[in-house]
């Protein structure tokens, strides 16, 4: 019940995208360019740096915002954000899939127990095997089509995931053994 309350509260928050304000000074166009950026690019992780006021220009339009607002025919923005937060709280990881890397195919939430990362020759997350519960059929998709959102684990920061529920469960088990 607590997970649902937290997820519902967080999913009500707006999603905002911005770009560095210097882009305008260099001749960029307000509101973003007409060039259609790739939605998922495994070769370059997004740069997450704390920016100070005035250093970012909010974007009103962007293909990623459009996808989040209307992910697919079966899900709305609120459901996507709620499931994503629930997944992070319970499993420590959440996955979104953009088939063929094209916005026209939609944005699909994937339950973490459906997804198995595939590593190859020392490279992490080369692809993902997706097995929808009840089908028994696995489909392997390139990493460029999957967005992996995770809460890093202190002891396995790149491949491990930390979840609040797992941390609480460990404390409960310890308490039970003490009593």
């Amino acid at each position: 019940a607590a997970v649902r309350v937290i997820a519902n509260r967080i999913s009500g928050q707006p999603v905002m995208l911005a770009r560095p304000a210097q882009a305008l000074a260099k001749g960029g166009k307000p509101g973003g360019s007409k060039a259609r950026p790739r939605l998922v690019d495994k070769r370059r992780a997004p740069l997450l740096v704390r920016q100070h006021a005035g250093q970012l220009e909010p974007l009103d339009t962007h293909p990623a915002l459009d996808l989040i607002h209307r992910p697919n025919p079966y899900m709305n923005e609120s459901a996507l954000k709620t499931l994503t937060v629930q997944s992070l709280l319970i499993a420590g990881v959440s996955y979104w899939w953009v088939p063929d890397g094209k916005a026209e195919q939609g944005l699909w939430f994937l339950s973490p127990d459906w997804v198995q990362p595939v590593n190859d020759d020392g490279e992490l997350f080369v692809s993902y095997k997706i097995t929808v519960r009840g089908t028994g059929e696995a489909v392997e998709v390139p990493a460029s089509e999957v967005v992996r959102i995770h809460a890093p684990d202190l002891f396995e920061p790149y491949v491990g995931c930390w979840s609040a529920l797992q941390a609480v469960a460990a404390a409960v088990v310890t308490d039970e053994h003490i009593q």
Side-chain angles (χ1 to χ4, degrees), residues 38 41-45:
R38 282 187 55 102
D41 187 352
K42 83 167 193 157
R43 294 168 295 171
R44 194 163 81 184

Side-chain angles (χ1 to χ4, degrees), residues 17-18 38-50 146-150:
L17 292 180
R38 282 187 55 102
L39 297 172
V40 180
D41 187 352
K42 83 167 193 157
R43 294 168 295 171
R44 194 163 81 184
L47 181 60
L48 301 175
V49 179
R50 182 170 181 235
V146 176
V147 178
R148 177 179 182 258
I149 305 165
H150 78 290

